[in-house]
Amino acid sequence: MLRGREHLLALITGYLPEARDGWEWCVDEAVAGSTAFAGELGRLTADLHLALSTFPRSQQDGPGDAAGRADGALAEALELTGGDDGAWLASQARAMRQELAPLRNGIETPLIRIHGDLHVGQILRWRDGYAVIDFDGNPTVAGADLHQPAARDVAQLTTSLDHVAQVAIKRRSIPPDHATAWAGRARQALLTAYRARLAARHRPDLLDESLIRPFEVEQECRELIYAARHLPRWRYAPMGVLRTWYGAEKHKENIA
């Protein structure tokens, strides 16, 4: 600590034998239809949050305006996404804003140090298990608060499972219904294990489940922003997820 603020002085990188990142090993799991890994990821994430919840929060850090941040991400995604994808996204903007509504009610869950950019690509599978890497934060968010609800990390991780499904569809020719069903099973197994671990450690209060969906919607907007700014070919993944979430049948249900 220097003058009441944290400063990075050094990084130490350990060697993990036989390590592979999640865009490799998790895609293999999707192709195989296996979700056995998901429980381990749920427990790993819970243990991470339990450890990070012990970091003190300085007066300079705070939750920020979560609703404004999410609304801003949606607005930027709409602005940056062109063509047919942009037109379709604009047609779903109202439904997406409705799903962001819980953020406008204020956040009462504990604020903890979070990873900030937690997705399967940040989780290495190595010889002795799994390891979380890269705590540099979300590249689409400048000056993000260090302390956030744990649900933000959880939402980033669950949406990344949907992205894995899209990768498997595009690159490994997995039938879309099989891939999306796999993502749903993996998501449920991850969340079940995460909840159970928090409960076992007497900290179920760390997760406000009402925040998961709005943070997931915000994350897909940020994926579109990232694609527009840095990696245009990635746009297929968040667009594929959003089309799954807001397909014709689901849109009819929202209207009804």
Side-chain angles (χ1 to χ4, degrees):
M1 298 287 288
L2 178 62
R3 296 181 181 177
R5 295 189 63 83
E6 296 179 358
H7 295 266
L8 178 64
L9 298 180
L11 289 174
I12 300 176
T13 302
Y15 173 63
L16 302 179
E18 303 171 22
R20 300 173 70 212
D21 77 43
W23 298 119
E24 296 179 358
W25 67 258
C26 201
V27 173
D28 288 344
E29 296 286 358
V31 172
S34 172
T35 60
F37 71 92
E40 293 186 65
L41 259 58
R43 289 184 286 274
L44 176 68
T45 305
D47 287 342
L48 174 67
H49 287 158
L50 288 163
L52 291 177
S53 69
T54 65
F55 278 62
R57 182 174 140 208
S58 68
Q59 291 183 344
Q60 288 83 3
D61 301 324
D65 181 358
R69 172 177 164 173
D71 287 335
L74 175 56
E76 189 169 0
L78 288 166
E79 179 183 353
L80 294 176
T81 306
D84 292 342
D85 285 343
W88 182 88
L89 189 66
S91 74
Q92 304 303 317
R94 180 179 178 183
M96 294 172 72
R97 288 192 183 94
Q98 288 176 342
E99 296 217 89
L100 295 176
L103 298 178
R104 301 185 188 102
N105 299 329
I107 292 177
E108 297 182 0
T109 190
L111 303 177
I112 66 170
R113 282 291 299 267
I114 63 170
H115 182 281
D117 190 28
L118 189 61
H119 55 76
V120 294
Q122 312 282 37
I123 299 177
L124 301 181
R125 174 185 279 176
W126 65 297
R127 186 176 61 197
D128 293 336
Y130 296 89
V132 180
I133 63 171
D134 192 358
F135 287 76
D136 292 338
N138 192 317
T140 70
V141 183
D145 295 314
L146 297 175
H147 289 75
Q148 297 276 337
R152 188 178 290 283
D153 271 354
V154 172
Q156 291 174 338
L157 189 54
T158 55
T159 54
S160 74
L161 295 173
D162 290 312
H163 298 150
V164 167
Q166 294 300 315
V167 172
I169 292 167
K170 184 176 180 65
R171 301 183 183 176
R172 307 287 286 275
S173 301
I174 301 303
D177 56 338
H178 291 185
T180 54
W182 168 87
R185 295 194 304 273
R187 169 197 172 91
Q188 187 57 50
L190 186 152
L191 289 174
T192 297
Y194 180 88
R195 295 186 198 103
R197 182 71 107 197
L198 291 188
R201 300 294 188 270
H202 310 292
R203 290 304 312 270
D205 60 303
L206 289 184
L207 180 64
D208 182 345
E209 300 212 26
S210 71
L211 300 179
I212 294 178
R213 184 59 168 184
F215 282 152
E216 287 179 330
V217 173
E218 179 186 346
Q219 183 60 30
E220 292 307 324
C221 293
R222 296 199 175 280
E223 296 292 336
L224 290 171
I225 295 168
Y226 177 80
R229 290 179 179 173
H230 307 290
L231 194 64
R233 67 177 183 272
W234 176 245
R235 190 165 85 177
Y236 79 88
M239 286 305 304
V241 174
L242 289 169
R243 289 180 186 276
T244 299
W245 290 354
Y246 301 104
E249 292 303 316
K250 291 183 175 62
H251 186 57
K252 290 177 183 177
E253 292 174 4
N254 288 336
I255 294 175

